[in-house]
């Protein structure tokens, strides 16, 4: 069946099924519809919409709270429409108080997202792996989680509570926050930016039995950890938020520098995805078949 005409999956239900079936789920980050298509084409079961990458690709700025809720949801909707695998999305701080969180949850849900994570930073937030973060009082975040829990209309929609408290209050406080966030109704916990293996192991130990997300932040504050270790520690979902963004940026810089030097792309053609193959990848043959079916020759 045509990808355009194919019935879309229920992303939230499919994500829950994967969580029951798989011991660990890998979710590379996508910053736009094309990068999401590539994630799916390579064979991953879940794609993660990165807030860092969304800020960089939409605005050309860092992840410092400049992207609005509607801009984030619009990007999430385009990504959902481009793939037929579940999409987990960054929802920053929920964009306000508990009432704002209700609107945020339902907007992402309406966009077809399978789940979101909401963090306990003060707005405007910052990327979890840069300095200068602040966190809201614990009770403020508990209110947001309760609102998010009550707002979802699809029982399978995943509410992931993220705490950035390690950098502000220390690892013990972050773990205590995480426990309370789970009791308040979060479906999964995301302790952001552990700074060493001791932190990572303590998170896994103290939060054992709670579904956990691990941010494999490429080049960030968290040390590189191999997959087997994460599996043994019991993490359920691992996101790789910016591999697509950083690799695309590096390649574009190199190719453009060569074009600037040589005047044409003649010396980098072997580094480019072949044009005809790219047309096939993004679905031109499918569109042409639909044109034959629906468009009359005049």
């Amino acid at each position: 069946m045509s990808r355009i005409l194919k019935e879309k999956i229920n992303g939230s239900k499919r994500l829950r099924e994967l969580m029951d079936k798989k011991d660990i789920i890998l979710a590379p980050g996508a910053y736009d519809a094309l990068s999401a298509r590539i994630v799916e084409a390579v064979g991953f079961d879940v794609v993660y919409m990165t807030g860092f990458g969304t800020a960089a690709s939409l605005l050309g700025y860092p992840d410092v709270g400049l992207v609005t809720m509607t801009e984030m949801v619009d990007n999430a909707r385009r990504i959902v429409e481009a793939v037929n695998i579940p999409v987990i999305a960054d929802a920053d701080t929920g964009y306000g108080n508990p009432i704002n969180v209700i609107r945020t949850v339902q907007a992402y849900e309406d966009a077809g997202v399978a789940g979101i994570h909401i963090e306990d930073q003060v707005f405007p937030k910052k990327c979890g792996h840069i300095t200068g973060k602040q966190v809201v009082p614990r009770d403020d975040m508990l209110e947001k989680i309760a609102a998010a829990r009550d707002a979802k209309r699809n029982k399978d929609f995943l509410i992931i509570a993220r705490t950035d408290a390690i950098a502000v209050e220390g690892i013990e406080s972050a773990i205590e926050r995480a426990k309370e966030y789970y009791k308040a109704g979060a479906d999964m916990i995301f302790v952001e930016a552990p700074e060493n293996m001791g932190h990572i192991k303590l998170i896994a130990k103290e939060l054992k039995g709670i579904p956990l997300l691990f941010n494999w932040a490429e080049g960030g504050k968290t040390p590189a950890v191999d997959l087997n270790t994460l599996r043994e520690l019991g993490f359920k979902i691992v996101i790789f938020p910016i591999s697509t963004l950083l690799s695309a940026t590096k390649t574009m810089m190199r190719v453009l520098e060569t074009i600037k030097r040589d005047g044409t792309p003649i010396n980098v053609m072997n580094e480019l995805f072949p044009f005809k193959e790219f047309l096939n990848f993004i679905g031109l043959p499918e569109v042409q078949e639909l044109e034959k079916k629906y468009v009359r020759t005049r």
Side-chain angles (χ1 to χ4, degrees), residues 131-158:
T131 59
K133 296 188 295 183
Q134 300 178 61
V135 292
V136 298
R138 200 172 299 188
D139 286 346
D140 289 4
M141 184 62 175
L142 293 172
E143 291 170 358
K144 289 187 181 187
I145 293 169
R149 177 199 63 209
D150 293 344
K152 64 180 186 178
R153 292 165 291 197
N154 180 343
K155 64 180 177 58
D156 293 320
F157 188 79
L158 201 69

Side-chain angles (χ1 to χ4, degrees), residues 7 38 64 92 177 242 247 275:
E7 183 178 353
I38 295 170
V64 290
D92 294 323
R177 280 177 176 257
I242 54 176
S247 59
F275 181 61

Side-chain angles (χ1 to χ4, degrees), residues 77-117:
R77 181 178 293 107
R78 286 189 290 270
I79 288 172
V80 168
E81 290 173 353
V83 299
N84 210 28
I85 57 177
V87 177
I88 298 171
D90 187 343
D92 294 323
T93 65
Y95 308 102
N97 66 21
I99 310 306
N100 298 103
V101 169
I102 291 172
R103 181 173 181 238
T104 295
V105 167
Q106 294 180 351
Y108 275 94
E109 205 175 23
D110 289 344
V113 169
I116 58 173
H117 66 74

Side-chain angles (χ1 to χ4, degrees), residues 215-251:
N215 183 10
W216 209 105
E218 304 89 328
K221 292 184 176 183
T222 301
V225 187
D226 66 88
L227 181 60
N228 283 337
T229 299
L230 292 173
R231 181 183 283 115
E232 290 169 3
L233 289 173
F235 287 94
K236 177 56 68 172
I237 295 177
V238 183
I239 59 173
F240 310 90
I242 54 176
S243 288
T244 53
L245 176 72
L246 297 183
S247 59
T249 302
K250 182 176 181 178
T251 301

Side-chain angles (χ1 to χ4, degrees), residues 39 43 57 69 92 121 123 141 163 168 171 206 237 245 292:
V39 169
S57 61
M69 185 270 278
D92 294 323
Q121 281 196 55
F123 191 85
M141 184 62 175
T163 178
V168 184
I171 183 66
E206 293 296 323
I237 295 177
L245 176 72
K292 291 177 184 178

Side-chain angles (χ1 to χ4, degrees), residues 13-296:
K13 182 178 179 182
R14 179 58 180 152
L15 180 58
R16 295 282 188 167
E17 290 171 348
L18 287 167
M19 290 174 63
D20 289 339
K21 177 181 177 182
K22 288 180 170 285
D23 58 351
I24 194 165
I25 297 168
L26 309 181
Y31 53 89
D32 63 5
L34 178 60
S35 55
R37 285 285 310 278
I38 295 170
V39 169
E40 180 183 38
V42 170
F44 289 96
D45 295 311
V46 178
V47 61
Y48 169 68
M49 188 196 86
T50 159
F52 185 102
T54 298
S57 61
L58 289 186
L59 304 182
Y61 279 107
D63 183 12
V64 290
L66 297 176
V67 187
T68 65
M69 185 270 278
T70 52
E71 288 173 319
M72 289 285 281
V73 170
D74 285 345
N75 199 34
R77 181 178 293 107
R78 286 189 290 270
I79 288 172
V80 168
E81 290 173 353
V83 299
N84 210 28
I85 57 177
V87 177
I88 298 171
D90 187 343
D92 294 323
T93 65
Y95 308 102
N97 66 21
I99 310 306
N100 298 103
V101 169
I102 291 172
R103 181 173 181 238
T104 295
V105 167
Q106 294 180 351
Y108 275 94
E109 205 175 23
D110 289 344
V113 169
I116 58 173
H117 66 74
I118 298 175
E119 67 209 45
D120 57 6
Q121 281 196 55
V122 171
F123 191 85
K125 56 74 55 85
K126 291 181 171 64
C127 165
H129 292 261
I130 62 178
T131 59
K133 296 188 295 183
Q134 300 178 61
V135 292
V136 298
R138 200 172 299 188
D139 286 346
D140 289 4
M141 184 62 175
L142 293 172
E143 291 170 358
K144 289 187 181 187
I145 293 169
R149 177 199 63 209
D150 293 344
K152 64 180 186 178
R153 292 165 291 197
N154 180 343
K155 64 180 177 58
D156 293 320
F157 188 79
L158 201 69
I159 301 295
I160 305 167
R162 166 177 149 179
T163 178
D164 285 68
I166 289 178
V168 184
E169 300 174 346
I171 183 66
E172 291 82 7
S173 176
I175 289 172
E176 288 307 309
R177 280 177 176 257
K179 290 176 180 177
E180 291 191 35
Y181 296 171
Y182 187 64
K183 289 178 183 177
D187 299 300
M188 177 172 278
I189 293 298
F190 172 3
V191 181
E192 175 64 304
E195 297 172 357
N196 51 59
M197 277 304 303
H199 281 181
I200 296 168
K201 290 179 178 179
L202 189 62
I203 290 165
K205 176 184 176 183
E206 293 296 323
L207 302 179
K208 187 175 182 180
I210 296 174
L212 298 176
L213 182 147
F214 183 85
N215 183 10
W216 209 105
E218 304 89 328
K221 292 184 176 183
T222 301
V225 187
D226 66 88
L227 181 60
N228 283 337
T229 299
L230 292 173
R231 181 183 283 115
E232 290 169 3
L233 289 173
F235 287 94
K236 177 56 68 172
I237 295 177
V238 183
I239 59 173
F240 310 90
I242 54 176
S243 288
T244 53
L245 176 72
L246 297 183
S247 59
T249 302
K250 182 176 181 178
T251 301
M252 284 190 282
M253 289 284 284
R254 183 175 65 248
V255 166
L256 290 171
E257 286 168 354
T258 303
I259 295 172
K260 179 69 167 57
R261 183 193 67 207
D262 299 342
T264 76
I266 192 168
N267 291 319
V268 289
M269 290 301 294
N270 64 333
E271 296 187 45
L272 306 183
F273 201 90
F275 181 61
K276 290 183 180 179
E277 291 182 28
F278 185 76
L279 291 178
N280 289 337
F281 175 69
I282 60 174
L284 179 61
E286 178 185 345
V287 172
Q288 290 172 331
E289 285 301 312
L290 290 173
E291 286 176 338
K292 291 177 184 178
K293 182 176 181 179
Y294 296 112
V295 180
R296 295 184 179 182

